Amino acid sequence: MKKILTSLFLSAAMAIGTIPAHAEDGDPIRYAIWSNPKGTFHPTLYFTDYDRAVIFSVFSRLVTLDEKQNPQPSLAESWDYSEDGRTLTLHLRKGVKWHDGQPFTAEDVAYTYQAEAAPDFPRDRPPFVKYLEGFEDYSTGKADSLPGIQVVDDVTVAFTFKAPYAAAFAHFADKPVLAKHIWDKIPLKTWNEASEALRNPVGTGPYKFVEFKPDQYVRLERNDDYFGGQPRTKTIIFRISNTQTAQSELINGELDIAEISSWNERDLQTYRDAGLRIVEQRGTSGQYLPFDTRNPKLSDKRVRQAIIHAINRQAIVDRLLFGHGAVFNTNAHPDSPYYPAGLDPYAYDPQKARELLAEAGWKDSDGDGILDRDGQKFVFTLNYPTGNRTRELSAPIIQQNLKAVGIETELVSADFNTTLAILQDPERSFDGVLMGGTFRPGIYDNNFWWERFTSPDLTGYADAFNSSVYPGVLRENIGAWLKGVNDEAIRVWLYIPNQGYVLGPKVTDYESHPYEPFAGIQNWAVSR
C-alpha cells in the first residue's frame, strides 16, 4: 500500500525553492481578464475563473500541481499515509503568517475543510468531505465534531477517510486554505452574504489584496513576508478588458499579459510584428452546452444524442480556433490517464440526428421545416454569456446546425454572472446554456448541477473509484463512469481551446503551465 501511495503522490520530501530577492523590477504587471469577477474571493465559495485568478494569487494551497498533475509541497511540506491507506497526515510549513500578521496553523486547515462538511455550508458539498470519517452525522447536525479531520499539533493535521481516497490532493490543489480567525466570526450560513469579507480577502499567498473596482480592475500588492520568498514585482493588476480591445492595449503597452482570444494567424502575426511573445499550451478548460435533463424536451437521451450529432464541433475548432484546439466526448480531459477508449465520438452527422429525433417522436408534421411533437414545435432556447469571443461566435453556428435538423433555436445573451445564475438556481428550467469550466485533475464526481441529472448507475461507479487508490481499479472504474456519462449525453462537449498567452516585450521570467497559470507569479517581472 505504501509503495502504491508513494508512486501516486510522490511522498513530498521536496521543498519550495527560494525565490530571488526583489530586484527593483518595473511595476506594475497588468494582467487582462475578460469578465468582471463576481467578488466572491473565498477559497471554498468561488464559482468563476475570474475570481479564481485573484484567489490563487492571494491565498496559498496545501499543495500545487506540477506539469504532470502530481502534487507538490506548498503550505504542506510533506505527507504520509497510514498502513491501511485511510489516514493522510500533512506536515505543515512553520512560520507562515496571514497577510494581517496572524500565524497560520493546522487549525486553519481543519477549519477550512470542516466547514465544507458543516450543516450550514452555503454551497454544494464537494465530494471530498463526503468520504471523511463521520461526515453523515456531522453534516446533519447529529454530531458536533468531525472525526475525519484532526489537529495533531500546530503544524500537523490528519484526514481520515472511510476508505482509501484517491482524490484528496486534487481537492487540496483546488481549494486554498482560509483564515479561521476571520471567517469563524461570521455565521457559516451567511458566508455568501458577507460582502465585506468576500471582497477584502486575507490570505498567505505571494500577493495581498488591495482593492476591487468592479468593471475596472483588481489590485494586489506584494507580500514581503511570503514563505516562498519576496515576490519580484510590487503590484499585480487584474485589469478587466475585452477581446476586442486587448490586442491594441497589449501593443500600446497598456497591458502586459493577456490570454489569447483569437488564434487567427493574422492576429498572431500582428503580435509578432509588434515584438510580443506568444506562449501556447494544451488547453485545460472545456466549453460545454449543458442540458436541463429534467426538461421534457430533453429528458430522452436520444434527443440529447441527436443534438450532439447535429453540431459540427470540429468545424467550430477549425473556423473559430483555427485548429488550435480539440474536440472531446466526456467529462474529462483527453490527457487524463483514465480517459477511456471506445467512447461514442458523436461525429457530425445530421442524418443520424434526424433519425434519433424521429425515434423520440419529433417529426415535421406540417412541412414547415421545424420538428413538432404533440402539437408543440421544437424550439430550443440557447443562453450564452458575453465576454468570451469564441463562445459568442459559436452560438450562431450552433443555431444554424440545429436548424438544419429541424430545431428552431433562439439565442439569448447576457453578461457572464447573469447567465451563470441560470445554472446556479436548481429550480430554474432551461434548454441549453453555453458555459466553460476548468478541468480539475483527479476529481471525478456525480455533481451534475449544470445538467440537473441523476443516475444510480453512474453513482455506483463513482463510489467505486472514490474508494480506491490502486491505479488499475481507478482506471477501470473511472473509465466505465466516463463511458456512462458519454452514453447519457448529459451535455454537448464542444471543444477544448488551446491555452495561449501574449506577453509584452518587457515581461521577464514568466512561467506557467496547464492547470497552474499563476504557478510562477512571484517571479514575474517587467522592465520599464
Side-chain angles (χ1 to χ4, degrees):
M1 173 66 76
K2 281 191 172 180
K3 185 178 290 186
I4 291 170
L5 292 170
T6 300
S7 66
L8 281 170
F9 303 123
L10 299 184
S11 187
M14 296 174 286
I16 293 178
T18 301
I19 294 172
H22 178 57
E24 296 302 325
D25 295 293
D27 182 57
I29 291 178
R30 295 154 303 184
Y31 188 107
I33 54 176
W34 303 136
S35 287
N36 194 46
K38 194 172 182 179
T40 306
F41 303 132
H42 187 286
T44 61
L45 298 181
Y46 75 89
F47 270 106
T48 77
D49 284 345
Y50 309 112
D51 291 87
R52 179 185 172 94
V54 176
I55 290 166
F56 275 38
S57 303
V58 170
F59 291 88
S60 301
R61 293 162 285 159
L62 291 170
V63 298
T64 58
L65 299 175
D66 67 15
E67 294 189 53
K68 295 184 179 180
Q69 303 180 20
N70 295 308
Q72 297 297 309
S74 186
L75 286 174
E77 285 190 304
S78 63
W79 48 83
D80 50 73
Y81 269 87
S82 60
E83 287 292 339
D84 63 4
R86 291 178 54 231
T87 298
L88 168 62
T89 302
L90 302 178
H91 306 283
L92 307 177
R93 188 175 295 274
K94 298 177 182 178
V96 176
K97 293 186 181 297
W98 292 97
H99 293 160
D100 60 5
Q102 294 295 311
F104 160 79
T105 73
E107 291 286 351
D108 297 305
V109 177
Y111 180 76
T112 297
Y113 302 109
Q114 185 168 307
E116 295 179 315
D120 292 334
F121 185 61
R123 256 212 66 179
D124 294 339
R125 296 192 192 285
F128 169 82
V129 297
K130 297 178 182 179
Y131 293 90
L132 288 168
E133 191 73 49
F135 165 76
E136 287 78 8
D137 286 347
Y138 184 70
S139 65
T140 57
K142 294 179 181 179
D144 294 330
S145 62
L146 181 62
I149 304 178
Q150 295 291 328
V151 172
V152 179
D153 56 42
D154 281 352
V155 291
T156 313
V157 61
F159 295 83
T160 299
F161 302 95
K162 301 168 191 174
Y165 180 63
F169 284 91
H171 189 70
F172 296 151
D174 191 48
K175 301 295 183 182
V177 180
L178 58 87
K180 178 181 178 180
H181 68 276
I182 292 175
W183 286 94
D184 198 26
K185 299 174 183 176
I186 303 171
L188 189 59
K189 64 183 179 182
T190 68
W191 275 11
N192 276 325
E193 299 147 32
S195 300
E196 184 67 21
L198 289 172
R199 294 198 171 198
N200 292 278
V202 174
T204 58
Y207 284 90
K208 298 180 179 181
F209 178 87
V210 177
E211 65 177 334
F212 171 32
K213 291 285 188 182
D215 300 313
Q216 296 183 52
Y217 61 83
V218 176
R219 180 186 294 271
L220 309 179
E221 298 288 343
R222 181 175 64 218
N223 174 18
D224 290 331
D225 296 322
Y226 179 52
F227 61 81
Q230 187 186 63
R232 293 183 60 188
T233 297
K234 180 181 178 183
T235 305
I236 300 287
I237 295 176
F238 288 102
R239 180 173 168 179
I240 297 151
S241 182
N242 63 71
T243 55
Q244 287 78 28
T245 63
Q247 185 178 77
S248 62
E249 290 171 331
L250 283 159
I251 292 172
N252 294 333
E254 298 166 27
L255 287 173
D256 299 299
I257 303 173
E259 291 185 44
I260 290 176
S261 58
S262 169
W263 288 106
N264 188 319
E265 182 57 33
R266 289 175 298 180
D267 292 326
L268 300 182
Q269 191 58 47
T270 298
Y271 288 132
R272 297 187 192 105
D273 291 343
L276 305 180
R277 183 154 57 103
I278 295 169
V279 176
E280 182 169 2
Q281 302 169 351
R282 290 275 286 178
T284 60
S285 62
Q287 293 295 318
Y288 311 94
L289 197 173
F291 298 120
D292 181 350
T293 61
R294 300 178 308 186
N295 186 323
K297 286 183 294 191
L298 302 165
S299 58
D300 189 324
K301 74 176 180 181
R302 292 173 297 184
V303 174
R304 304 193 297 267
Q305 291 171 339
I307 291 175
I308 305 178
H309 278 295
I311 297 173
N312 194 340
R313 297 176 293 154
Q314 188 60 49
I316 293 175
V317 171
D318 293 340
R319 290 169 57 184
L320 301 185
L321 299 177
F322 299 89
H324 294 263
V327 170
F328 66 121
N329 292 293
T330 191
N331 283 21
H333 195 291
D335 284 347
S336 165
Y338 307 119
Y339 196 86
L343 294 175
D344 187 334
Y346 290 107
Y348 174 56
D349 190 340
Q351 182 56 37
K352 176 70 172 177
R354 294 186 193 97
E355 292 170 359
L356 287 167
L357 288 165
E359 290 176 16
W362 291 97
K363 300 179 181 180
D364 182 8
S365 61
D366 57 10
D368 67 349
I370 304 300
L371 300 176
D372 56 83
R373 186 179 67 183
D374 301 328
Q376 296 293 318
K377 297 289 186 183
F378 200 143
V379 179
F380 186 87
T381 300
L382 179 60
N383 292 275
Y384 66 95
T386 56
N388 180 309
R389 185 63 175 161
T390 303
R391 185 161 53 203
E392 291 178 31
L393 292 174
S394 71
I397 294 175
I398 293 170
Q399 180 186 46
Q400 183 180 25
N401 288 163
L402 296 183
K403 182 179 179 180
V405 298
I407 299 175
E408 182 179 337
T409 303
E410 298 177 348
L411 303 182
V412 179
S413 66
D415 66 85
F416 181 84
N417 289 321
T418 298
T419 306
L420 178 63
I422 297 171
L423 299 173
Q424 290 175 320
D425 183 355
E427 303 303 317
R428 184 169 177 178
S429 181
F430 63 89
D431 292 339
V433 179
L434 288 182
M435 190 53 63
T438 302
F439 294 103
R440 309 297 190 222
I443 298 179
Y444 305 89
D445 64 68
N446 288 286
N447 188 14
F448 299 117
W449 62 277
W450 279 8
E451 298 86 5
R452 320 283 198 255
F453 179 79
T454 57
S455 169
D457 292 337
L458 296 184
T459 300
Y461 287 129
D463 288 342
F465 70 66
N466 281 326
S467 298
S468 175
V469 293
Y470 291 96
V473 176
L474 290 170
R475 191 170 296 108
E476 179 180 351
N477 287 310
I478 295 175
W481 178 78
L482 291 172
K483 284 184 178 180
V485 171
N486 166 264
D487 178 66
E488 288 288 349
I490 58 174
R491 63 176 70 158
V492 181
W493 301 279
L494 288 167
Y495 56 90
I496 301 172
N498 282 1
Q499 203 161 292
Y501 303 92
V502 180
L503 310 181
K506 297 183 179 181
V507 174
T508 64
D509 299 299
Y510 174 84
E511 58 178 297
S512 71
H513 61 79
Y515 300 109
E516 292 285 356
F518 304 106
I521 192 171
Q522 60 268 35
N523 287 330
W524 298 354
V526 292
S527 56
R528 300 208 187 280

